[in-house]
Amino acid sequence: MIRAKDNNFILETDNTTYAFRVTGSGHLEHMYYGRKISLGDVDVITEKSAFCPGTSLNYTQDDLSFSLEDICLEASGQGKGDIREPFCELVHADGSRTCDFVYDSYTLKDENPHLYTMPCSYSANKLPAHLTVVLKDKYYDIALELHYFVYEKCNVITRYTKLINNSGDDIRLLKLMSTQLDFSEKDLVLTTFNGAWAREMGKNETKVVAGKVVNCSRAGISSNRANPFVMLSDESTTEDMGRAFGLNLIYSGNHYSAAEVSAYGKTRFVSGINPDGFEWIVKAHESFETPEAVMTVSDKGFNGMSQNMHKFVRNHIVRGEWKNKERPVLLNSWEAAYFNINEKKLYNLARAAKRCGIELLVMDDGWFGERNNDTSSLGDWKVNLKKLPNGVKGLADKINKIGLDFGIWVEPEMVNANSDLFRKHPDWALGIPNRPHSEGRNQRILDLTRTEVQDYIIDAMSDVFSSANIAYVKWDMNRIMSDVYSSKLEAENQGEVAHRYVIGLYRIMQTLTTKFPNILFEGCSSGGDRFDLGILSYFPQIWASDDTDAVYRVTAMTNYNYGYPMSTVTAHVSNCPNHQTLRNTPLDTRFNVAVFGVFGYEFNLPDLDMATLKEIKDQVKFYKAHRKTFQYGDFYRGRCDNLHEWTVVSKDKSEAIGLLMQELAHPNSKDHKYFAKGLDEKTVYEFTNSPKPVSIKVFGDLINMIAPIHIKNGGVVQNVIDKFYKLPGEVEKYRASGDTLMYAGVKLHQAFAGTGINDETRVFPDFASRLYVMKKK
Ligand code: GLA
């Protein structure tokens, strides 16, 4: 709900309040954003100033107490005394860089957000309340529209900005933020998620005491270097208690978020398109719109904040046929065969997959042009008939016939210099004419600022997607931008290229997802190099990382989960030694971690022995039985250190599944407990594990302590015994109320500690894990 009265604007969600007002000077003073308050006199939360502090400036001689440097604002200008991080920077036709936007008017409606060039949040049912506040520059005919949308149930407020140039002159826009959030205090903690290829989403906390902390991308894409999702919190905030803000952008290009502490101990947060390298000519009588920013706050810690974000992303970002549909279990050919694929291999993979209960086979890279490695053929989307003599259709039909769906990999935004497309249209790639180009994975980025290039991609992909019965598409993007230049644009417009690229991409995605509504699209960018809400507005899921190692993944998935629901994070079980880390982890742990994401395999199944295939078959069966809870339940993070603890709870709270995973074993530390989260406190649940038979190989030659005959580690006898005998594994079976499972925790069986092995012992070495099922009785 939004209340606008007497120059005060109060935006309310179920549990939060956001308040600002128009000051006497006409600026918008931000007054409050936090847990819901009933308010009274608005004066209680307005800035009081009786004098202007030394060396700060009076905005006007008419009010000697008022300085723009020491007041919380909704949208700061430039050059009138507020020397903090600006919201907007521009150059007028006369060369002046000063802008001073003051209140003009507002409108209030219930309606969905609408941007012409970018995706927005939306509501399919109750429309969000929409407040538009129009500001006007005092001296130039330029308007700034601040748009606010209130999603009550998710406790989310979104914002975007539109600059309208009504003057008769062009202006150079250097920076325009989507949101600004001023706090009257400092020492907030900014949490960012940084990384690189195969180690996305490292969590970093920086206390902002003074100066400025920036989280941004200059890669041309949202990037694995710095995900656009960030959090602000108090130092005392924990997973379940305290104030936590979640902030994101619906944008897939260069983004920028900064938290800056002022001379007077106030913190300013801004977020929007990265101004570095950006410059947009807003022609006379034209406008410029920013991406939409997403904001939420909870007083129930990071988990409370995440629940808001998850609900918002599931309901108001993800759209289309697959929004609420259970996603299939897939087998992807990449780690099974890399580029070395052919019809026979893929068919064999599909047959093995079918035997395990897998539902979809994905043919990854290598199926087109002369694509035998990563040096050629991107751009030439014609099937390689040496590998697939019956074409994509021939293969897809064969796979469909055995009862599996078929999916395909594409990387439409790219071109190899060694391709027919590039030979024909060298100017269709971004790059500075007649200058050497910096290469990444031997490929270049197509110039998506050009309509003819967008149309080429739309046509080429339409041909691929309609060439066979294609149920799923993995849309990859495997390099960052360099030599950013479009040969189609004028010199003065080159600062627009990176943003125009994103706009072009969104047009392509919009067209293709509309044309092929049944296809399940999965975003990918060398894993998580473009994991953001812009992509999720078209594709309901994204491949989170090329690193499939369970020990890495358990933390990465925890960290993705701060801002994104698990129904958007795809996760596969792969072979060991793991191809990225060479680490060996047990198959059940790889499953126990991946199963909480949108789940699949990436594995050469035909190479596996019967016992392993049986284990995989059982895994798929288990997943299918609980798929709805895994994909659409509410996910809660528990501990994330040497022990990792997760709980996912079905919507009606009648079922929950928990994970306990350990990185390194510490002997003689028997007090392992599992704490559930999110259960109904009063409901009685039956708590069980699926006992995991333990191979005697785990004990090596220690087994000789109890064995009647000598068993050589790695010897024939050990192999024979292992084939016919396993220790049964501990059984955990309890009935307990939700509050007991959550607040007392479950005291698990004693873990192996160098001595005393029997049927009750929980054998829990390095990288061990357990799943616990909780069912309402
Ligand atoms: C990227 C993706 C991988 C795989 C390869 C194919 O690295 O992240 O999953 O599809 O490309 O070249």
Side-chain angles (χ1 to χ4, degrees), residues 112-325:
N112 275 324
H114 178 71
L115 292 173
Y116 292 92
T117 52
M118 282 170 284
C120 302
S121 61
Y122 73 102
S123 177
N125 307 315
K126 185 176 182 289
L127 293 173
H130 174 202
L131 167 69
T132 309
V133 178
V134 182
L135 308 178
K136 286 204 170 143
D137 191 281
K138 266 185 143 169
Y139 302 101
Y140 298 87
D141 204 356
I142 300 170
L144 208 56
E145 289 179 1
L146 308 181
H147 294 263
Y148 299 82
F149 298 85
V150 176
Y151 290 94
E152 288 175 16
K153 292 273 165 265
C154 314
N155 297 303
V156 161
I157 293 173
T158 70
R159 257 185 89 169
Y160 57 74
T161 315
K162 193 168 173 184
L163 182 140
I164 304 160
N165 179 8
N166 293 315
S167 77
D169 300 308
D170 294 359
I171 55 176
R172 281 166 51 209
L173 183 63
L174 306 179
K175 174 181 184 184
L176 185 62
M177 293 289 96
S178 299
T179 192
Q180 170 174 329
L181 199 51
D182 278 5
F183 296 84
S184 50
E185 68 269 31
K186 66 186 193 87
D187 295 344
L188 293 171
V189 176
L190 179 72
T191 305
T192 61
F193 297 90
N194 312 90
W197 174 74
R199 61 172 168 80
E200 292 86 346
M201 293 303 275
K203 181 170 156 231
N204 296 296
E205 294 170 344
T206 311
K207 184 166 142 189
V208 194
V209 183
K212 180 160 80 175
V213 182
V214 170
N215 181 66
C216 73
S217 167
R218 302 182 70 189
I221 48 180
S222 47
S223 93
N224 49 29
R225 289 16 171 223
N227 192 278
F229 172 72
V230 299
M231 308 190 292
L232 277 169
S233 58
D234 296 306
E235 256 189 298
S236 55
T237 303
T238 67
E239 282 289 342
D240 301 303
M241 279 187 295
R243 189 172 65 142
F245 293 85
L247 304 143
N248 210 341
L249 269 186
I250 308 180
Y251 192 57
S252 309
N254 290 330
H255 60 86
Y256 175 87
S257 295
E260 182 188 48
V261 169
S262 77
Y264 302 103
K266 290 187 165 64
T267 304
R268 168 162 298 165
F269 174 83
V270 296
S271 178
I273 296 175
N274 194 342
D276 284 356
F278 169 89
E279 181 173 328
W280 194 280
I281 309 292
V282 187
K283 295 221 170 69
H285 309 295
E286 288 191 355
S287 61
F288 180 84
E289 57 189 19
T290 70
E292 188 180 0
V294 177
M295 308 184 285
T296 190
V297 57
S298 169
D299 63 343
K300 302 212 162 25
F302 296 112
N303 262 314
M305 180 280 303
S306 294
Q307 296 307 324
N308 294 344
M309 273 295 180
H310 296 171
K311 219 182 275 173
F312 176 76
V313 174
R314 281 198 305 244
N315 291 309
H316 305 296
I317 292 289
V318 174
R319 60 203 81 193
E321 197 155 300
W322 286 93
K323 177 174 173 173
N324 297 315
K325 205 155 134 186

Side-chain angles (χ1 to χ4, degrees), residues 334 339 364-365 409 441 474 476 478 524 526-527 543 546:
W334 183 239
F339 293 101
D364 208 283
D365 200 352
W409 178 96
R441 213 191 185 206
K474 177 173 169 189
D476 214 337
N478 283 321
C524 174
S526 308
W543 178 230
D546 273 357

Side-chain angles (χ1 to χ4, degrees), residues 291-553:
E292 188 180 0
V294 177
M295 308 184 285
T296 190
V297 57
S298 169
D299 63 343
K300 302 212 162 25
F302 296 112
N303 262 314
M305 180 280 303
S306 294
Q307 296 307 324
N308 294 344
M309 273 295 180
H310 296 171
K311 219 182 275 173
F312 176 76
V313 174
R314 281 198 305 244
N315 291 309
H316 305 296
I317 292 289
V318 174
R319 60 203 81 193
E321 197 155 300
W322 286 93
K323 177 174 173 173
N324 297 315
K325 205 155 134 186
E326 289 180 35
R327 323 273 168 81
V329 185
L330 63 79
L331 174 66
N332 178 295
S333 66
W334 183 239
E335 286 201 21
Y338 293 99
F339 293 101
N340 194 9
I341 49 172
N342 56 46
E343 184 177 304
K344 189 163 167 235
K345 246 191 211 173
L346 292 163
Y347 184 61
N348 285 339
L349 275 178
R351 285 199 334 176
K354 178 70 190 167
R355 284 196 289 273
C356 295
I358 293 171
E359 297 156 319
L360 169 78
L361 182 93
V362 178
M363 173 172 71
D364 208 283
D365 200 352
W367 61 268
F368 53 93
E370 293 299 317
R371 187 82 172 160
N372 299 315
N373 51 47
D374 63 16
T375 60
S376 86
S377 301
L378 290 172
D380 300 343
W381 298 106
K382 294 280 172 276
V383 65
N384 179 325
L385 289 172
K386 276 183 246 141
K387 294 182 181 180
L388 305 182
N390 300 302
V392 175
K393 180 162 172 29
L395 173 67
D397 285 351
K398 262 177 109 170
I399 286 174
N400 286 167
K401 223 182 210 151
I402 56 169
L404 249 75
D405 283 335
F406 176 75
I408 199 166
W409 178 96
V410 290
E411 196 178 353
E413 300 157 66
M414 294 291 155
V415 65
N416 286 111
N418 182 10
S419 69
D420 293 342
L421 183 70
F422 189 77
R423 282 182 279 274
K424 202 164 159 204
H425 297 290
D427 61 318
W428 278 17
L430 290 176
I432 310 159
N434 308 316
R435 293 253 194 97
H437 196 84
S438 298
E439 302 284 343
R441 213 191 185 206
N442 308 299
Q443 64 197 54
R444 300 190 189 179
I445 305 183
L446 287 171
D447 182 356
L448 267 53
T449 70
R450 298 170 66 152
T451 317
E452 66 272 38
V453 177
Q454 298 165 18
D455 290 341
Y456 165 78
I457 294 177
I458 291 169
D459 291 346
M461 287 305 117
S462 297
D463 287 350
V464 173
F465 302 163
S466 49
S467 67
N469 186 17
I470 288 173
Y472 159 106
V473 166
K474 177 173 169 189
W475 183 296
D476 214 337
M477 196 286 185
N478 283 321
R479 67 157 287 177
I480 60 172
M481 282 185 190
S482 69
D483 309 272
V484 178
Y485 192 94
S486 166
S487 40
K488 202 65 187 288
L489 290 173
E490 299 298 326
E492 62 169 12
N493 299 109
Q494 294 298 334
E496 301 172 9
V497 172
H499 182 52
R500 283 188 185 277
Y501 179 91
V502 181
I503 294 173
L505 171 68
Y506 289 149
R507 178 182 162 239
I508 296 169
M509 291 165 87
Q510 172 69 37
T511 310
L512 288 169
T513 49
T514 309
K515 200 164 167 188
F516 297 94
N518 303 329
I519 291 181
L520 170 60
F521 283 91
E522 174 160 318
C524 174
S525 184
S526 308
D529 211 3
R530 198 168 60 181
F531 199 113
D532 60 64
L533 298 181
I535 298 299
L536 290 172
S537 298
Y538 301 101
F539 302 164
Q541 58 189 50
I542 301 176
W543 178 230
S545 176
D546 273 357
D547 190 342
T548 49
D549 177 276
V551 178
Y552 158 74
R553 275 276 181 159

